[in-house]
Amino acid sequence: MSSVHSVSAAAADHAHDHAHEDHGAPTGWRRWLFATNHKDIGTMYLLFSLIMFFIGGAMAMIIRAELFQPGLQLVDPGFFNMMTTVHALVMVFGAVMPATVGLANWMLPLQVGAPDMALPRMNNFSFWLLVAAFTLLILSLFVPGGGPAAGWTLYPPLVIQTGNSLPMAIFAIHLAGASSIMGSINIIVTIMNLRAPGMSLLKMPLFTWTWLITAYLLIAVMPVFAGAVTMVLTDHFFGTTFFSATGGGDPVLYQHVFWFFGHPEVYIMILPAFGIVSEIIPTFSRKPLFGYDAMVFATASIAFLSFIVWAHHMFTTGMPLAGEMFFMLSTMLIAVPTGVKVFNWTATMWRGSLTFEPPMLFSLSFLFLFTIGGFSGLMMSIAPVDFQYHDTYFIVAHFHYVLVPGAVFAIMAGVYYWLPKWTGHMYSMTLAKWHFWLSTIFVNILFFPQHFLGLAGMPRRIPDYATQFAEFNMISSIGAFGFGLSQLLFAYIIWACVRGGEKASDKVWDGADPHGLEWTVPSPAPHHTFDVPPVVK
Amino acid sequence: MNENLRVENRKLTRQLWLMAVGAFGFGFALIPLYDVMCDITGYGNRASLREASTVVETAVSDRRVTVEMISATPTFGSWEFHPMAASMVVEPGKLYETKFYAKNLQEQSVTAQAIPSIAPSQATRFFHKTECFCFTPQHFEGLEGREMSVRFIVDPDLPGNVDRVTLAYSMYTMPQVAAAQ
């Protein structure tokens, strides 16, 4: 594919003329409550996810403060369990997923040359459902009996012991799931039906591609999760015995159903991150992406494989040997397309003229640190050794490496990459670089020692631990406080960039213009863009 | 937006909704599929663990297998429950009987269900229970305790690498809804 998109000058000018027209759109709070504009909804998604990032982050601070020293100091164990459970649910469904949906809302129409998302009203509905879902989930912490505390995987029989908050948490998951499904339908319809003339599927930017695949994954697995938690609900209230042994049910069955959803879910969080990094690295290397077609097919293979590896989360449940072998080998197979991606990003930089603006810094950090997370994943895919790693801090270190310096850093890279296009202002490069270095250093202080803790046998999800683990836990907690505080800088940089700053040019980045239609519209992107579709050659 | 595009959008939206509904159904279809998988992989399906086997005693051999008995009470404090013998050495093909003792530690009467499990899992198919207190719910008056028996035959076809089979029971108090049935 040639990554050069040429837009007819007339179309670009036309878009410019529309910049200051408002079409009688509502203003004030109505603009947001009744929003149907993809940019407004994208902004709301991103703000929502930032707020959730801080709420989930505050819970992580409580967890790390309790683990700062051995012994029980700050919170009681029941509350600690609520924190680990709700921290994970908030970060997965409230921070990472809505952030990528927000980026999709903002950028997909701009990247494919569409005037808006295909189904703007459904778009509005899916955003507000999400707000309802998380209001319900957060409120569930305050009901008598306490919030959900059985871990984000909600395994029975433990989850059945949850008090009044159980139906609240489950309905929150239903609502968030419905929201994701509608968001995904919207994204697929937009990509399939609203691409500009001349933009064939294999000319689409990588971020669009990864979201197309992610959206299909979401539609395929979110309903399965909704089904699983519905069964938990009926087991609790209506005497069914899907998972309760008393009536012939099987708790291990829940784990199968959950991870049939849960494994694709982790790719739902990381594939859009792959897309963002695939946009940024070529821009700041001033080269087209190396192996575009291979990148698309690698993404599709990862998505396919994600459906047949779920039981690697369950090696210790007593599977037959053939099952352990199958899930071990199919899991290892995922390293191949993932390796294709990592090597292609590296090859993109080969002999490029690199510059290191904040989006590129975060992408490079992503490349290194996500790969570390990938490697620890590969270690755990080996069934016989997984018996040692299972449910220890090693797995905690693994999934935080792929999700924090993985997915979250890629999202931050995306925000720094497109923020001038959204606001029309450049942000402070100095502050953003400070944010980058603080985050990268502290995230490693936070999560790297957890590998050692896990290998030494410290179990996850406990508020207290043996004194031999004290030093590494203290180091990890210091890293956590540093990382948490550094994110306040991120919020300040965004706030300052919205308020003002140096005027951003249309192409924003020196190397950006051949890499996507979004750089052909003015900065800030006007409320309505591509009323007349651009022509892609 | 022209009319043609509107129709196209609606059509694709409908297909995607159908896909989502199908996926929801698939989640529930996993339940019976799980039993099928358990049958294929030799775990025996979950129901068969609680059904009486009809096997007859067979020829004498010099092979001996150790059967261990263990018990668990998931609801803490409501049961005393343990095997009368911790282990026994049996001859495959012959019928044996052993007893478990259970006592309801609460004042009110309850109905309980014992859930069996065999380890290693590949032995499940070869451990036949001809009579077991786990086949039916057991009623206990307040503070009542009694011995309950299980009769079993270890199949002579038990894989040669297995010389030790563990029979475990978990004692569950039945919820009132289920007890009323």
Side-chain angles (χ1 to χ4, degrees):
Chain A
M1 167 227 164
S2 102
S3 67
V4 180
H5 303 290
S6 346
V7 182
S8 74
D13 285 351
H14 190 86
H16 217 135
D17 291 342
H18 274 260
H20 304 290
E21 278 178 48
D22 221 330
H23 297 300
T27 52
W29 61 270
R30 280 192 184 80
R31 171 179 170 186
W32 304 103
L33 186 62
F34 303 135
T36 50
N37 179 285
H38 74 100
K39 300 185 182 79
D40 286 351
I41 293 176
T43 304
M44 289 198 293
Y45 262 112
L46 287 166
L47 273 180
F48 174 82
S49 116
L50 189 65
I51 293 167
M52 284 297 140
F53 182 57
F54 281 105
I55 292 178
M59 294 174 185
M61 294 301 110
I62 295 173
I63 294 167
R64 282 316 321 175
E66 177 58 53
L67 292 173
F68 189 72
Q69 284 184 321
L72 293 173
Q73 284 94 16
L74 301 172
V75 294
D76 73 87
F79 187 73
F80 183 89
N81 290 343
M82 285 178 225
M83 288 294 101
T84 53
T85 304
V86 182
H87 159 76
L89 289 172
V90 164
M91 287 304 202
V92 169
F93 297 101
V96 173
M97 286 170 65
T100 59
V101 176
L103 291 171
N105 259 295
W106 247 103
M107 300 319 299
L108 290 192
L110 290 180
Q111 289 198 324
V112 302
D116 204 308
M117 296 296 278
L119 311 160
R121 288 182 197 157
M122 192 155 94
N123 207 5
N124 173 295
F125 189 45
S126 50
F127 173 74
W128 288 109
L129 267 189
L130 200 60
V131 177
F134 280 87
T135 310
L136 201 56
L137 183 67
I138 305 283
L139 282 180
S140 80
L141 283 172
F142 302 101
V143 298
W152 82 282
T153 51
L154 306 171
Y155 278 2
L158 186 58
V159 74
I160 304 288
Q161 296 172 16
T162 309
N164 294 342
S165 62
L166 182 71
M168 293 176 81
I170 285 175
F171 289 143
I173 288 167
H174 282 149
L175 292 180
S179 158
S180 303
I181 291 165
M182 284 192 272
S184 303
I185 290 176
N186 215 338
I187 284 165
I188 294 173
V189 178
T190 306
I191 295 175
M192 298 314 267
N193 290 357
L194 297 189
R195 293 195 311 279
M199 181 172 285
S200 59
L201 283 175
L202 281 175
K203 277 188 186 172
M204 294 195 312
L206 242 287
F207 179 63
T208 306
W209 250 117
T210 52
W211 243 116
L212 179 63
I213 292 167
T214 304
Y216 273 109
L217 280 183
L218 269 165
I219 295 178
V221 300
M222 274 317 285
V224 175
F225 186 36
V229 292
T230 307
M231 290 182 239
V232 168
L233 196 70
T234 58
D235 268 14
H236 189 64
F237 289 102
F238 304 114
T240 59
T241 52
F242 288 107
F243 309 127
S244 153
T246 323
D250 188 347
V252 175
L253 171 57
Y254 174 86
Q255 299 187 20
H256 282 289
V257 182
F258 178 84
W259 287 112
F260 183 82
F261 146 81
H263 202 76
E265 167 69 19
V266 305
Y267 294 108
I268 286 165
M269 289 189 277
I270 203 66
L271 291 184
F274 287 170
I276 296 166
V277 170
S278 305
E279 301 285 323
I280 293 172
I281 289 181
T283 296
F284 296 96
S285 307
R286 291 160 183 81
K287 276 179 65 193
L289 183 70
F290 183 88
Y292 171 92
D293 291 1
M295 287 301 234
V296 172
F297 287 115
T299 312
S301 335
I302 293 174
F304 167 74
L305 288 172
S306 76
F307 284 106
I308 57 163
V309 298
W310 77 89
H312 66 211
H313 297 267
M314 304 166 53
F315 280 146
T316 59
T317 53
M319 263 187 285
L321 187 62
E324 305 246 335
M325 294 287 281
F326 173 79
F327 287 110
M328 173 169 94
L329 295 173
S330 58
T331 304
M332 288 176 169
L333 210 53
I334 296 182
V336 177
T338 313
V340 167
K341 290 189 147 299
V342 170
F343 285 121
N344 280 3
W345 288 320
T346 314
T348 305
M349 290 186 284
W350 177 253
R351 295 194 161 170
S353 42
L354 305 185
T355 49
F356 299 97
E357 286 87 344
M360 183 62 162
L361 288 174
F362 273 100
S363 299
L364 288 175
S365 188
F366 167 92
L367 192 50
F368 277 96
L369 300 177
F370 174 79
T371 305
I372 290 179
F375 276 133
S376 58
L378 205 50
M379 287 170 73
M380 285 182 294
S381 73
I382 304 167
V385 293
D386 181 67
F387 278 68
Q388 185 192 346
Y389 305 148
H390 187 85
D391 261 347
T392 68
Y393 258 80
F394 195 77
I395 178 73
V396 177
H398 159 70
F399 66 69
H400 280 101
Y401 258 90
V402 290
L403 284 177
V404 184
V408 172
F409 271 27
I411 289 163
M412 286 173 174
V415 169
Y416 281 130
Y417 186 49
W418 287 307
L419 192 58
K421 179 56 68 187
W422 302 335
T423 64
H425 305 128
M426 296 308 284
Y427 46 85
S428 162
M429 291 293 147
T430 318
L431 282 183
K433 284 181 182 174
W434 267 100
H435 173 229
F436 166 75
W437 285 109
L438 289 172
S439 299
T440 299
I441 291 167
F442 279 121
V443 89
N444 283 293
I445 298 176
L446 164 54
F447 293 121
F448 210 83
Q450 296 184 359
H451 290 112
F452 307 134
L453 287 170
L455 290 178
M458 177 168 159
R460 64 189 287 208
R461 291 173 173 154
I462 48 156
D464 187 9
Y465 49 84
T467 46
Q468 79 223 38
F469 304 126
E471 279 82 5
F472 280 136
N473 267 300
M474 189 177 283
I475 295 170
S476 179
S477 288
I478 291 169
F481 303 143
F483 184 76
L485 287 175
S486 314
Q487 303 321 310
L488 296 174
L489 191 56
F490 182 51
Y492 171 77
I493 292 166
I494 294 171
W495 180 76
C497 182
V498 173
R499 295 279 306 230
E502 190 195 324
K503 179 89 185 71
S505 68
D506 290 0
K507 72 173 194 175
V508 183
W509 308 106
D510 180 43
D513 46 336
H515 296 292
L517 289 174
E518 69 261 42
W519 309 111
T520 64
V521 304
S523 299
H527 210 234
H528 296 283
T529 37
F530 297 131
D531 283 342
V532 173
V535 177
V536 180
K537 289 181 187 138
Chain B
M1 218 188 289
N2 65 48
E3 195 49 40
N4 210 358
L5 183 61
R6 209 177 282 271
V7 172
E8 284 295 308
N9 284 354
R10 233 175 254 154
K11 193 173 140 210
L12 185 54
T13 307
R14 201 163 41 235
Q15 288 167 352
L16 293 168
W17 270 118
L18 273 178
M19 195 177 150
V21 172
F24 189 71
F26 179 73
F28 285 86
L30 283 172
I31 310 299
L33 273 176
Y34 182 67
D35 285 336
V36 172
M37 281 303 289
C38 287
D39 256 350
I40 294 172
T41 54
Y43 276 76
N45 76 40
R46 286 172 289 154
S48 74
L49 270 176
R50 287 170 51 190
E51 279 163 9
S53 313
T54 45
V55 285
V56 286
E57 286 190 277
T58 50
V60 196
S61 77
D62 54 0
R63 186 172 171 199
R64 294 291 179 271
V65 175
T66 306
V67 176
E68 301 174 322
M69 274 69 68
I70 57 175
S71 61
T73 50
T75 37
F76 182 75
S78 25
W79 292 99
E80 181 190 330
F81 181 46
H82 56 80
M84 299 301 286
S87 74
M88 52 205 287
V89 176
V90 305
E91 186 181 329
K94 278 182 75 177
L95 182 69
Y96 291 88
E97 176 172 347
T98 186
K99 285 182 164 30
F100 280 68
Y101 177 80
K103 183 177 183 197
N104 175 15
L105 298 179
Q106 290 171 318
E107 300 281 342
Q108 68 271 34
S109 67
V110 291
T111 305
Q113 174 70 56
I115 305 293
S117 156
I118 310 282
S121 49
Q122 82 234 47
T124 309
R125 272 194 293 183
F126 303 98
F127 193 90
H128 307 294
K129 297 186 290 296
T130 58
E131 190 186 316
C132 178
F133 58 92
C134 62
F135 293 158
T136 49
Q138 301 284 328
H139 185 79
F140 285 82
E141 295 302 326
L143 302 175
E144 180 193 344
R146 66 168 181 267
E147 288 177 12
M148 302 177 297
S149 65
V150 49
R151 288 162 172 252
F152 61 88
I153 294 178
V154 175
D155 200 308
D157 292 336
L158 180 74
N161 60 335
V162 180
D163 61 356
R164 189 173 291 265
V165 176
T166 306
L167 169 64
Y169 286 102
S170 303
M171 186 67 107
Y172 289 92
T173 305
M174 304 262 299
Q176 291 311 308
V177 192
Q181 285 165 0

